[in-house]
Amino acid sequence: MTTATRTVLDGLDGIKEPLADLYRDLHAHPELSFAEHRTAAEAARRTASYGYEVTTGVGRTGVVAVLRNGAGPTVLLRADMDGLPVREQTGLAYASKATGTDPEGNEVPVMHACGHDTHVTCLLGTLQLLAQGRAHWSGTVIGVFQPAEELGQGAKAMLGDGLYERFGTPDVVLGQHVVPMPAGMAGCHPGPAFSATDSLRVRLYGRGGHASRPESTVDPVVMAAATVMRLQTVVSREVAGGDTAVVTVGSIRAGTKDNIIPDEAEIKVNIRSYTEPVRTRVLAAVKRIIRAEAAASGAEREPDIETIDSFPVLVNDADAVRRTMAAIGAELGTDRVLDPGPITGSEDVCLLATAAGAPLCYWLFGGIDAQTYETAQKAGTMDSDVAYNHSPFFAPLAEPTVITGVKAFTAGALAWLGPAAASAGQ
């Protein structure tokens, strides 16, 4: 750990409690993608008070906070802000009771089921420490509070709104994501680290009628059921054993009444992959099966297959991982940093790095009580006793999760920013 890192992090003791309070507040007030108005306002207010140049409304609801501190590298630190349409079941005193309107106009419960409240809190803590300790580093910090990561559209929206033309192009992009591993730990995998995602909305068209006369109809419910079951063979029969892919049907909707066969059914399919050949093969197989099952059912109209969102593979730069994680390990302890291997979650932060032509280091940090994790691991009950991201029971501990995230983000940033001497005379 460098002297500068230690000196900057010395300010952490004075903001621990306010950060924990902020985390609980954000957790209680989640907002859906592109509706993060309250969260964005809080990020803007706080970063302005730290001395950053703040711009709101970037990519609709994004916030960019810039601190120029003499000559040196430009480091982009990113946190996503949006919640999910999930009804919280944690039972916490600060559990969300919020609702919102989804893209299809439905009123839905909203929860920070993926930990983005933690990400915002940690970035705000890091930006405050860097501002307080600006005498110990040089360069430019760009804090990006990104909307709509859950839709895979937020990074695109900010880039499309002139992110780099307006605020400068970074030399490195850094970010982190809380996950259900022991609080106090961090992990990063070089190379392909998060999978590509393709999400499809499929409309299957039948011919409706009375439930008592199915022979006069083309039943889209049966068509959808057959499609869902046949899709389960894509990975098991069309993907090589050494490759990785996941095909999930996460939504199926059809009809309104038990005695009416509807005209159409809708399914939503989510596909994960790590390489372009596998991605291409799986997408082709999924579309082939959807069309074939419709034809086999006697559908008089071909299905509509629409791409809802798409995330590319997130590739961590190997040199950036070594440099950043060495700094984080020096702060957390080398025994607290690991390589978790590639995971099948997806992230759009990689678009920020690709657009800048900059290396990316995106790591994980733990948010689960260490004893709970260890007990479940030993008992083989991880799936039932440890809540994962997107679960209605997912709620990272305030302590020591937030403090770990702030330490990691700060140490990671300082591994790239210049030494204080570089700003002499500025």
Side-chain angles (χ1 to χ4, degrees):
M1 184 194 315
T2 66
T3 302
T5 301
R6 181 66 274 159
T7 303
V8 171
L9 283 172
D10 280 344
L12 186 52
D13 286 341
I15 62 173
K16 282 182 179 180
E17 286 306 315
L19 285 177
D21 290 341
L22 171 62
Y23 164 64
R24 287 185 280 264
D25 176 72
L26 293 175
H27 187 87
H29 299 94
E31 298 162 298
L32 291 175
S33 303
F34 288 129
E36 309 95 338
H37 303 292
R38 182 183 186 275
T39 307
E42 189 67 15
R45 182 185 69 80
R46 288 175 179 260
T47 49
S49 74
Y50 306 155
Y52 286 74
E53 302 168 17
V54 179
T55 305
T56 60
V58 182
R60 295 173 61 176
T61 48
V63 177
V64 178
V66 181
L67 184 60
R68 305 182 196 281
N69 192 34
T74 297
V75 177
L76 187 151
L77 307 176
R78 176 270 205 174
D80 38 13
M81 300 189 291
D82 50 333
L84 285 161
V86 174
R87 188 180 306 280
E88 182 160 355
Q89 298 180 45
T90 62
L92 293 167
Y94 51 93
S96 169
K97 297 178 177 62
T99 60
T101 303
D102 71 12
E104 297 173 353
N106 304 306
E107 184 175 354
V108 294
V110 187
M111 177 192 174
H112 267 304
C114 201
H116 296 186
D117 47 350
T118 313
H119 304 169
V120 172
T121 303
C122 292
L123 179 52
L124 283 168
T126 290
L127 294 180
Q128 185 174 4
L129 291 179
L130 290 173
Q132 291 174 355
R134 61 190 301 171
H136 303 283
W137 58 271
S138 65
T140 298
V141 173
I142 303 176
V144 171
F145 296 88
Q146 183 203 299
E149 182 276 334
E150 296 294 352
L151 299 182
Q153 298 176 16
K156 292 177 185 176
M158 296 191 82
L159 290 167
D161 202 9
L163 177 64
Y164 295 148
E165 293 82 359
R166 296 164 66 183
F167 307 105
T169 303
D171 296 302
V172 66
V173 174
L174 304 178
Q176 57 183 2
H177 202 302
V178 67
V179 293
M181 66 183 187
M185 297 191 67
C188 191
H189 180 70
F194 284 67
S195 71
T197 290
D198 292 282
S199 294
L200 308 176
R201 178 188 286 110
V202 179
R203 287 189 173 88
L204 299 163
Y205 298 104
R207 184 174 65 245
H210 200 288
S212 66
R213 297 192 66 245
E215 74 279 4
S216 68
T217 72
V218 175
D219 192 337
V221 177
V222 175
M223 192 189 308
T227 301
V228 171
M229 294 306 296
R230 182 64 184 234
L231 288 175
Q232 307 310 304
T233 67
V234 173
V235 173
S236 67
R237 288 296 175 268
E238 301 197 40
V239 175
D243 292 326
T244 298
V246 180
V247 175
T248 297
V249 177
S251 172
I252 180 168
R253 297 191 300 177
T256 58
K257 202 169 186 299
D258 63 293
N259 64 348
I260 300 174
I261 293 172
D263 288 320
E264 63 182 71
E266 178 190 271
I267 62 174
K268 293 180 181 177
V269 186
N270 185 265
I271 300 163
R272 310 277 172 148
S273 58
Y274 285 106
T275 67
E276 193 56 38
V278 171
R279 183 184 194 186
T280 300
R281 184 183 183 95
V282 171
L283 272 169
V286 166
K287 292 176 181 179
R288 184 193 74 236
I289 286 170
I290 290 167
R291 295 187 179 109
E293 288 295 345
S297 297
E300 297 162 351
R301 177 180 171 184
E302 277 220 345
D304 287 335
I305 304 174
E306 172 194 359
T307 298
I308 303 172
D309 60 52
S310 182
F311 294 71
V313 175
L314 184 152
V315 180
N316 274 323
D317 180 85
D319 290 336
V321 168
R322 281 190 290 270
R323 181 171 176 175
T324 307
M325 299 313 292
I328 292 173
E331 173 57 34
L332 301 183
T334 54
D335 61 329
R336 310 292 289 169
V337 175
L338 52 82
D339 181 345
I343 66 171
T344 49
S346 299
E347 255 288 346
D348 68 352
V349 66
C350 52
L351 297 175
L352 300 179
T354 300
L360 170 67
C361 182
Y362 193 73
W363 64 89
L364 309 175
F365 66 110
I368 302 300
D369 175 71
Q371 186 59 56
T372 299
Y373 185 94
E374 183 180 353
T375 299
Q377 192 175 49
K378 287 181 177 178
T381 57
M382 289 288 291
D383 289 341
S384 59
D385 293 347
V386 174
Y388 286 77
N389 303 71
H390 290 213
S391 161
F393 300 99
F394 185 72
L397 298 170
E399 297 285 359
T401 305
V402 169
I403 298 308
T404 300
V406 174
K407 286 181 176 179
F409 229 166
T410 305
L414 289 169
W416 292 89
L417 290 164
S423 62
Q426 296 293 321

